[in-house]
Amino acid sequence: MAPGELLHAPSFSLFEAMSAIEIGDPRMDASLAALTSPTAGDLIDSGKVPAQLVDTTLLSILDKQMILEMTWQQGHSLAQTVFTCIYMLRPDRASSMPLLAACCRSSFATCEQVKEFVMSAGICQDEDFQPFCYGLLLDWGRKGQYPAALAALTAAEDEVKASGTTKCLMQALHHLWHPSANAVGTAKRLLQNAAQSLDALGQEVPAGRPDDFVVPGFHPDVNRRLLAPQPPRKVPVLGWKAACQELSRMLADLQAACAVSIVTSLAQLKTFLMAYAGRCMQAYAKREAGALARSVLHWLLRTSAYIVDAPKPATAPSSKAGLSGRGLEPRAGKALPPWVPQPRMLAAAVGLPPDGPTISPEVDMFVEQAVIAVQGWCQGMCLNRARQRRRHRHALPDWAHLYQHALNADLSQGFMDWQTGAGWQWPHPTTDAPDQDLQGPLATWVERETALIMLQHLLLGFELELYQRYELCMIYWYCDYLIGVGLQACKKMGAGIQAAANGRGGVASKPARSNAKPKRSEANDSRRLDLMLESQEMEVERELCQGMLRLCAGLSIAGALPSRPAPFNDEEHLFDQRFSRFNHCARPEPLLHHQYAESADPTGVSAAALFQMAKDNFLCAKRAANFIGRMAAHSKEDLQALDRVATQNTVALMLMSKVLADGKLEHVVTWDFSVHCCYPVLGLKKH
């Protein structure tokens, strides 16, 4: 080949060409750089790793090691951060310095704990965390060495105050690895103590040790020979202040994850995960929790954290052995904590008795599959934002499969008999009824949950800044439809529970034993209240979606909304790109582009009329938010944000109506998503 020519073959494309190594160039040939990189033995022989250190230098090593641990948790390589410390590679070099030896033991232990959590939880990707050790063994951090590391930290606590933070964190992670209600409570107290210890240290740079202070015993390229052939990316090591801030945030995120122990129902679990993921709690909207905190949260929600393999029975297992006959049993014979998705939680969520005889095999199968679906949703909520949106999209076929199980359960004779005996007022299907009439309370619940997952998928696009301004009409239009589906399902389910509470059941298939009304159930009362609050919250968001839809349509007519660039995808192709994944589900019924085109056709409607209708929607949203804000304390912060959006957009619409000239808006429209991540506040400014 002559210079300037490019080889192309089925096995050598542009990607391979861009990734090719230029032999002899130190910027491209990692092996060449590895030949010139010193080893741990070379650094020790050269006297750069002293066996005795003065107190000031020793403390600087401890601070540097903490900085490198926090840098590692930002998604960088272990070989380029924590193990650039020669004392970690050669622990015997620190044997004559008990304080440094304790620091090394604690680093080994905490690194092993963090790695175990992240690998076991299975919710972190390469952009979140790098678990590879490149052959570097965390020998001192193995489970058998935890007591030794804890004892070393206890002995060093009097000399170095920072060791108190590390000790409390290590103990908290140890308790969370074997979770229970008491263990989670103990871990939360330890994390609070760690945060208080860190606050006591302050975030000032230690005197005489600035951020760029050269600390002995470290070399950034000491493990270069262990890395991949391509040149590694440069690691931006945190400074002292930044490391302290990251550690403080990590402790706060872990404490927030431990708050899952107060959850006792599926409704509370959904509210908690939505808040933790940043969908409701605006404090988390600008920064999602770190990889360790999200891994700990998912570990607390996983059934495998509380279950051990049971010994194989000598005879064939019973259909009720363990959980779903899988040979798994809770540790020490204890039941799963109430916050873990399990059959009892799902049964209570759909109105079935948590305990009692089997209603029908179809109902048991539905509950089992519903637990799996909810566990998958919980895992998705623990992912980072981009992965979370992708997971919700790919989980829709599973919910479509669950809908078929729900229909089978609704149509089973055992469930219909139980439903009548319980007093549920739900129309029984007939043989010639359309498919919508076949849907009972279980299928209605699945339809509502599927609609809410679709809604999450769409709203996450706002947080990830995926939408152009000319797409907002169709996005808010589909969101309005999905919220309407969820709202209708909540009302139907609430009416059925109310009928059961009032004793207004349908015609029973068997003679009634007594004319007395059934006793009120606290579980039904709580579920009816949850459905009522959820319906009110949906009303607020639906009014906002309708308001934003009409506002965007009015701006389009007034010439203030950017048009779709030509000759790229037309509106129909764009609609399919955004919503084609929803076609996997029979319920909610997927919408097509022609339905949107007919519904959002602005023919014969002026911009001023659309602005007035949008203003009415925002006023209704404001009234509904104020009403429910006095009842739902768990979502008060989000409701306040929605109230601000409705209020400020009402004012903006009044100004737009005044400055309209011949149906056109000459001012520039600004979009501010800082108040709420999904519903912008609009403003006007002159050109």
Side-chain angles (χ1 to χ4, degrees):
M1 292 179 63
E5 292 183 342
L6 179 65
L7 175 66
H8 177 73
S11 60
F12 192 82
S13 62
L14 180 62
F15 176 79
E16 283 79 11
M18 296 298 294
S19 304
I21 297 175
E22 185 175 347
I23 300 176
D25 187 346
R27 296 174 299 176
M28 293 294 293
D29 192 349
S31 299
L32 179 65
L35 295 176
T36 60
S37 300
T39 64
D42 295 337
L43 294 171
I44 292 174
D45 295 339
S46 63
K48 296 181 179 180
V49 189
Q52 293 294 334
L53 296 169
V54 297
D55 292 344
T56 304
T57 306
L58 186 60
L59 292 177
S60 67
I61 292 178
L62 304 185
D63 295 338
K64 182 72 172 181
Q65 191 64 11
M66 186 272 287
I67 290 172
L68 291 174
E69 286 187 35
M70 298 313 302
T71 303
W72 171 55
Q73 294 194 34
Q74 302 303 304
H76 299 290
S77 168
L78 191 69
Q80 294 177 276
T81 52
V82 177
F83 278 94
T84 58
C85 177
I86 314 304
Y87 296 104
M88 292 287 291
L89 296 172
R90 297 287 184 86
D92 57 304
R93 193 68 178 170
S95 59
S96 60
M97 295 173 284
L99 186 59
L100 184 56
C103 172
C104 292
R105 283 189 179 275
S106 65
S107 292
F108 275 115
T110 52
C111 288
E112 177 66 19
Q113 288 175 318
V114 171
K115 182 173 175 290
E116 287 283 348
F117 269 113
V118 173
M119 296 297 291
S120 299
I123 54 96
C124 292
Q125 302 295 330
D126 292 344
E127 66 269 21
D128 297 317
F129 189 81
Q130 290 289 337
F132 306 110
C133 295
Y134 299 98
L136 300 170
L137 300 179
L138 301 176
D139 292 333
W140 274 13
R142 295 298 176 187
K143 300 175 180 61
Q145 296 294 333
Y146 168 77
L150 186 61
L153 279 178
T154 303
E157 194 169 4
D158 295 335
E159 300 183 44
V160 183
K161 294 182 179 179
S163 62
T165 302
T166 306
K167 175 185 174 182
C168 291
L169 174 61
M170 189 167 59
Q171 288 178 302
L173 293 178
H174 180 73
H175 284 285
L176 292 172
W177 183 252
H178 306 285
S180 64
N182 293 333
V184 173
T186 302
K188 189 173 183 179
R189 290 191 296 272
L190 288 168
L191 291 169
Q192 291 173 349
N193 295 337
Q196 293 173 1
S197 177
L198 182 63
D199 293 339
L201 289 176
Q203 296 185 1
E204 297 293 333
V205 178
R209 299 199 300 275
D211 284 350
D212 58 352
F213 179 71
V214 178
V215 182
F218 293 85
H219 197 286
D221 294 329
V222 67
N223 298 312
R224 186 69 176 269
R225 69 192 186 283
L226 301 177
L227 302 179
Q230 64 269 23
R233 59 180 179 177
K234 186 177 180 180
V235 176
V237 179
L238 299 174
W240 169 260
K241 292 182 180 179
C244 287
Q245 291 173 357
E246 288 299 325
L247 179 56
S248 178
R249 290 170 183 169
M250 185 188 73
L251 294 174
D253 291 340
L254 287 171
Q255 290 183 61
C258 291
V260 73
S261 59
I262 65 174
V263 169
T264 58
S265 66
L266 181 60
Q268 294 177 5
L269 179 61
K270 289 170 57 180
T271 300
F272 174 83
L273 289 178
M274 292 285 284
Y276 195 84
R279 297 282 296 106
C280 295
M281 192 182 301
Q282 294 301 304
Y284 279 87
K286 299 301 181 183
R287 181 191 63 86
E288 61 187 3
L292 174 60
R294 289 186 283 113
S295 298
V296 168
L297 175 58
H298 186 231
W299 177 253
L300 294 176
L301 295 173
R302 287 187 62 172
T303 308
S304 57
Y306 309 89
I307 294 177
V308 295
D309 292 333
K312 295 182 179 180
T315 59
S318 169
S319 60
K320 297 184 179 180
L323 296 178
S324 306
R326 296 178 183 175
L328 299 176
E329 295 180 354
R331 287 193 176 99
K334 296 181 180 179
L336 293 173
W339 63 80
V340 179
Q342 53 191 292
R344 287 177 53 87
M345 175 186 286
L346 269 296
V350 298
L352 298 174
D355 301 306
T358 298
I359 296 176
S360 71
E362 293 82 1
V363 172
D364 290 348
M365 176 61 71
F366 163 74
V367 172
E368 179 181 344
Q369 295 299 315
V371 171
I372 297 174
V374 171
Q375 288 173 342
W377 178 80
C378 292
Q379 181 179 9
M381 293 301 294
C382 295
L383 300 173
N384 62 44
R385 292 285 201 281
R387 299 280 181 174
Q388 184 182 130
R389 186 175 187 270
R390 184 172 180 266
R391 178 59 181 265
H392 290 334
R393 182 173 71 247
H394 287 283
L396 291 177
D398 297 335
W399 287 90
H401 178 70
L402 179 62
Y403 182 80
Q404 299 301 321
H405 282 290
L407 282 180
N408 293 338
D410 283 331
L411 297 177
S412 64
Q413 188 61 44
F415 178 74
M416 288 191 290
D417 292 342
W418 174 86
Q419 187 180 356
T420 302
W424 279 61
Q425 191 179 33
W426 205 282
H428 286 184
T430 58
T431 56
D432 56 347
D435 182 62
Q436 184 66 30
D437 292 338
L438 298 178
Q439 185 171 291
L442 304 183
T444 300
W445 178 84
V446 175
E447 181 182 18
R448 184 194 67 170
E449 297 300 317
T450 307
L452 294 180
I453 290 175
M454 292 178 176
L455 181 65
Q456 281 182 267
H457 170 77
L458 293 179
L459 294 183
L460 276 170
F462 287 101
E463 295 187 41
L464 297 172
E465 301 179 0
L466 300 180
Y467 303 137
Q468 300 294 330
R469 298 289 183 258
Y470 54 81
E471 298 181 79
L472 296 185
C473 278
M474 67 173 65
I475 297 296
Y476 284 119
W477 177 79
Y478 216 112
C479 288
D480 171 52
Y481 165 69
L482 294 174
I483 295 174
V485 171
L487 186 60
Q488 183 181 11
C490 284
K491 290 181 178 179
K492 290 173 64 177
M493 295 166 65
I497 298 175
Q498 183 65 41
N502 296 336
R504 299 196 311 267
V507 179
S509 58
K510 296 181 181 180
R513 296 183 179 180
S514 172
N515 294 327
K517 294 183 178 181
K519 295 181 180 180
R520 297 184 64 88
S521 169
E522 293 183 3
N524 282 343
D525 290 343
S526 175
R527 185 163 173 262
R528 187 168 63 251
L529 178 61
D530 290 340
L531 288 172
M532 183 186 68
L533 292 176
E534 189 172 354
S535 299
Q536 293 290 339
E537 292 174 359
M538 288 183 181
E539 289 281 5
V540 176
E541 291 212 45
R542 191 177 191 187
E543 292 290 347
L544 281 174
C545 283
Q546 293 179 356
M548 292 304 306
L549 169 63
R550 289 164 176 165
L551 175 55
C552 292
L555 291 175
S556 180
I557 295 175
L561 198 68
S563 59
R564 185 178 61 259
F568 301 105
N569 291 350
D570 58 15
E571 188 179 72
E572 184 174 0
H573 289 154
L574 188 61
F575 188 93
D576 290 339
Q577 289 173 356
R578 293 300 183 194
F579 310 116
S580 60
R581 278 284 183 175
F582 297 167
N583 297 336
H584 290 289
C585 299
R587 288 288 186 274
E589 184 177 355
L591 301 182
L592 303 177
H593 174 260
H594 72 85
Q595 295 172 292
Y596 165 70
E598 295 172 1
S599 175
D601 185 8
T603 304
V605 183
S606 65
L610 287 171
F611 287 163
Q612 180 60 43
M613 287 187 285
K615 187 176 73 172
D616 294 339
N617 287 125
F618 288 132
L619 289 174
C620 291
K622 180 177 175 60
R623 287 193 294 267
N626 290 335
F627 171 75
I628 194 175
R630 298 189 295 268
M631 304 169 58
H634 64 271
S635 58
K636 183 172 293 185
E637 190 172 356
D638 186 60
L639 288 171
Q640 289 175 351
L642 296 177
D643 179 76
R644 285 183 58 192
V645 170
T647 302
Q648 297 185 35
N649 281 340
T650 301
V651 176
L653 284 167
M654 294 172 62
L655 294 176
M656 291 179 189
S657 301
K658 290 182 179 180
V659 300
L660 274 176
D662 297 329
K664 297 297 180 181
L665 195 62
E666 302 297 336
H667 291 64
V668 176
V669 178
T670 61
W671 304 73
D672 181 13
F673 284 90
S674 62
V675 178
H676 196 282
C677 53
C678 302
Y679 303 100
V681 171
L682 272 65
L684 287 177
K685 66 178 182 179
K686 295 182 179 180
H687 284 283

